[in-house]
């Protein structure tokens, strides 16, 4: 007598589900974005706030998205309308799904450009150009790339094409199998890099800088950045995890699986930090260099370590792979939505969504060269000097994702029946009480307070 529409297939196993979730969450956010934001925000205090946000805000929202998805059994927009109708709640909750699709579009537009940078660096690593780098010329390869819109466009196109082809072909299964090998390899490569970093004389200072919070270095915007990044890195607030949850079978324990994903995601980010900052410190580079940080630092490290040419190629290949699995998860919700709302086929939808995203990506490319002085919202003091790329990043990580995430957890915490949530989470009494408390009070209040203080 189950009224739950089983509209699609389910994950073959808990492992397959976990892999797909890890594939979406581990990506450029961990290896590219986390280090450069930490560098811009002064180190340890940022890391600590980020970790707190992951645990008290990210983890409960991840669980909420999965349980909604498993209940709704559809794409995020239909899931929200289905559940809110059944519970006689306002149809406005559908906006959670709509905001998600828009957020995914905006993020993928710049994500693909950065994925293109990683592709370009595979070629650089293979050509041996890392070996001649010195502290003074560390940024030269990256600087040259940024100043060349045509080359950037070529790599952005290549990355976008990789994403479109997989989504159009619906062959993500093969990728999932590859993820089983490649994700652990990425962790191994990061450990190799940390091993190299440990031999440099900046290691102790860098580790202390990363792990000892100095709150005088963190301003309110840094706190908002840390919270926003918790959403970004876990792929939250976009309906992506909700869509994944719709494939989740009833016997999977949501809490335990969420913990696995969160821990893996966090460990990868911290390893990236530990690999990069010692090289920054021991070469007198600028920790606050911004989005180019890893592309200025890692080539120097690979250029100096024994076997660096091979390691460099392997590393950037793995980075591209991690970015690819995340990029696929970003295109997927847009394609699903187009497929449902228009007469287009899956293949047609994938191409239309992909080309639209690719077009917007051009604005990000130009933000780093020809349009680097263009600040569309420069008339507001808060957005002074921010390029289109900066604005896209701000609008998504600092506004849309936290707001959508907030709406999600408020819905689960306050608008759904306790018993229904409880039966989905399948926890002991005390664990559920704790979860409820965090989901109803700590997480929403946390998001609101961080928002209010930074506005
Ligand atoms: N979580 C991915 C990363 O850290 C990026 C991403 C964001 C993917 C949002 C999907 C949705 O790289």
């Amino acid at each position: 007598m189950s009224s739950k529409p089983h509209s699609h297939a389910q994950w073959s196993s808990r492992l397959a589900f976990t892999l797909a979730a890890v594939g979406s969450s581990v990506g450029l956010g961990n290896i590219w974005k986390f280090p450069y934001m930490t560098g811009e925000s002064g180190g340890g205090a940022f890391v600590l706030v980020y970790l707190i946000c992951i645990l008290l805000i990210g983890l409960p929202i991840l669980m909420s998205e999965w349980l909604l998805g498993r209940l709704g059994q559809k794409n995020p927009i239909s899931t929200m309308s289905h559940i809110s109708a059944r519970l006689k709640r306002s149809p406005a909750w559908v906006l959670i799904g709509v905001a998600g699709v828009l957020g995914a579009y905006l993020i993928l537009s710049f994500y693909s450009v950065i994925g293109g940078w990683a592709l370009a660096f595979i070629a650089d690593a293979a050509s041996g150009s890392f070996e001649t780098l010195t502290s003074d010329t560390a940024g030269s390869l990256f600087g040259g790339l940024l100043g060349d819109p045509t080359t950037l466009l070529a790599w952005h196109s290549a990355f976008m094409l990789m994403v479109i082809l997989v989504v159009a072909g619906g062959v993500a299964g093969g990728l999932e199998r590859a993820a089983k090998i490649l994700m652990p390899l990425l962790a191994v490569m990061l450990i190799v890099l940390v091993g190299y970093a440990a031999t440099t004389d900046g290691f102790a200072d860098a580790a202390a800088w990363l792990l000892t919070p100095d709150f005088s270095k963190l301003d309110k915007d840094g706190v908002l950045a840390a919270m926003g990044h918790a959403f970004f890195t876990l792929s939250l607030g976009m309906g992506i995890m909700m869509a994944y949850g719709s494939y989740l079978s009833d016997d999977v324990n949501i809490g335990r699986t969420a913990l696995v994903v969160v821990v893996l995601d966090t460990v990868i980010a911290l390893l990236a930090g530990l690999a990069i900052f010692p090289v920054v410190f021991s070469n007198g580079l600028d920790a606050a260099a911004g989005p180019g940080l890893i592309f200025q630092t890692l080539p120097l490290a690979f250029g100096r370590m024994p076997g660096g040419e091979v390691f460099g190629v392997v590393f950037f290949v793995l980075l591209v792979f991690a970015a690819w699995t995340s990029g696929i998860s970003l295109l997927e919700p847009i394609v699903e939505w187009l497929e449902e709302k228009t007469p287009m086929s899956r293949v047609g939808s994938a191409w239309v969504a992909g080309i639209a995203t690719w077009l917007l990506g051009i604005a990000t490319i130009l933000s780093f060269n020809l349009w680097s002085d263009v600040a569309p919202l420069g008339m507001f003091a808060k957005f002074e000097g921010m390029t289109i790329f900066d604005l896209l990043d701000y609008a998504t990580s600092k506004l849309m994702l936290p707001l959508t995430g907030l709406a999600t957890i408020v819905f689960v915490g306050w608008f759904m029946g306790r018993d229904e949530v409880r039966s989905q989470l399948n926890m002991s009494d005390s664990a559920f009480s704790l979860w409820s408390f965090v989901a109803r009070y700590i997480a929403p209040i946390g998001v609101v307070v961080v928002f209010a203080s930074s506005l």
Side-chain angles (χ1 to χ4, degrees):
M1 53 152 265
S2 161
S3 60
K4 205 163 83 174
H6 270 266
S7 59
H8 44 218
Q10 301 196 331
W11 299 95
S12 52
S13 66
R14 181 178 153 207
L15 180 66
F17 174 79
T18 313
L19 275 172
V22 172
S24 174
S25 65
V26 173
L28 294 168
N30 308 64
I31 293 166
W32 159 71
K33 201 171 183 203
F34 171 75
Y36 94 73
M37 295 215 310
T38 303
E40 283 180 334
S41 303
F46 176 89
V47 175
L48 183 64
V49 174
Y50 162 78
L51 292 176
I52 293 173
C53 290
I54 289 274
L55 199 65
L56 294 182
I57 299 175
L59 180 62
I61 293 183
L62 178 60
M63 294 167 68
S64 300
E65 288 204 16
W66 282 353
L67 78 86
L68 283 172
R70 185 156 72 182
L71 275 171
Q73 293 287 306
K74 292 247 169 63
N75 73 63
I77 298 181
S78 311
T79 285
M80 286 315 295
S81 71
H82 175 77
I83 297 179
S84 52
R86 180 166 58 78
L87 299 173
K88 310 218 167 16
R89 301 295 181 192
S90 156
W93 288 106
V94 171
L95 287 176
I96 291 180
V98 176
V101 170
L102 182 63
Y105 172 63
L106 300 179
I107 290 180
L108 183 55
S109 78
F110 66 80
Y111 203 85
S112 166
V113 175
I114 317 296
W117 296 356
L119 277 172
F121 272 73
I122 298 178
D124 284 337
S127 70
S129 25
F130 292 174
E131 267 138 61
T132 52
L133 294 176
T134 64
S135 313
D136 292 331
T137 60
S140 60
L141 284 172
F142 182 68
L145 178 66
L146 272 202
D148 179 355
T150 325
T151 307
L152 288 174
L153 185 65
W155 290 118
H156 163 52
S157 310
F159 186 85
M160 208 54 231
L161 194 65
M162 287 164 58
V163 171
I164 295 173
L165 288 176
V166 171
V167 175
V171 293
L175 224 70
E176 220 172 78
R177 280 191 292 279
K180 215 184 319 195
I181 304 162
L182 295 181
M183 289 307 213
L185 251 184
L186 178 65
V188 170
M189 275 308 303
L190 281 170
I191 292 169
V192 168
L193 272 169
V194 174
Y196 166 77
T199 67
T200 65
D201 47 13
F203 189 73
D205 285 347
W209 177 85
L210 262 180
L211 303 173
T212 328
D214 173 356
F215 282 95
S216 66
K217 293 202 189 123
L218 190 69
D219 58 9
K220 288 180 176 137
D221 212 46
V223 176
L224 178 59
M227 180 179 80
H229 188 61
F231 285 92
F232 185 92
T233 192
L234 293 177
S235 307
L236 297 177
M238 249 162 306
I240 289 178
M241 289 302 186
M242 209 187 284
Y244 281 18
S246 71
Y247 294 92
L248 197 51
S249 66
D250 287 328
D251 54 344
V252 171
N253 184 316
I254 287 184
R256 222 175 292 148
T257 313
L259 209 56
V260 170
V261 171
V262 164
V263 167
L264 286 176
D265 188 82
T266 308
V267 167
I268 299 273
L270 292 176
L271 282 176
L274 273 180
I276 285 158
F277 286 106
V279 181
V280 172
F281 278 48
S282 48
N283 287 286
L285 305 176
D286 179 12
L293 184 68
I294 69 161
F295 298 99
Q296 292 160 354
T297 322
L298 291 179
L300 196 60
F302 287 124
R304 297 203 179 149
M305 71 170 79
E309 194 171 323
V310 176
F311 281 144
V313 174
V314 172
F315 176 83
F316 282 105
V317 167
L318 293 171
L319 180 60
V320 166
F321 182 80
W324 194 17
T325 53
S326 302
I328 290 162
S329 77
L330 279 160
L331 188 61
E332 188 67 43
I334 316 173
V335 169
E336 262 174 35
W337 178 75
L338 279 180
E339 230 185 324
E340 207 176 282
K341 295 286 166 200
T342 69
M344 280 186 291
S345 66
R346 180 172 186 88
V347 175
S349 306
W351 282 98
V352 167
I355 290 171
T357 313
W358 174 83
L359 275 174
L360 184 61
I362 296 173
T364 289
I365 290 181
L366 295 174
S367 300
F368 291 104
N369 38 67
L370 302 178
W371 291 357
S372 60
D373 293 328
V374 176
L377 296 181
M379 58 282 206
F380 304 106
K382 194 169 177 71
F383 301 113
E384 209 186 309
M386 286 172 76
T387 62
I388 298 179
F389 162 70
D390 295 331
L391 291 173
L392 284 171
D393 181 35
Y394 193 99
T396 49
S397 287
K398 292 188 180 159
L399 295 175
M400 298 176 66
L401 305 187
L403 280 177
T404 316
L406 176 65
T408 307
I409 198 140
V410 166
F411 184 81
V412 172
W414 293 91
F415 290 84
M416 279 177 70
R418 214 180 142 79
D419 292 340
E420 185 156 32
V421 174
R422 170 115 214 219
S423 72
Q424 280 296 319
L425 292 183
N426 192 14
M427 291 173 155
S428 69
D429 290 341
S430 49
F432 184 71
S433 303
L434 178 65
W435 188 85
S436 252
F437 180 70
V438 173
R440 288 166 69 101
Y441 299 99
I442 307 278
I445 293 174
V447 176
V448 170
V449 167
V450 173
F451 253 129
S453 67
S454 85
L455 293 181

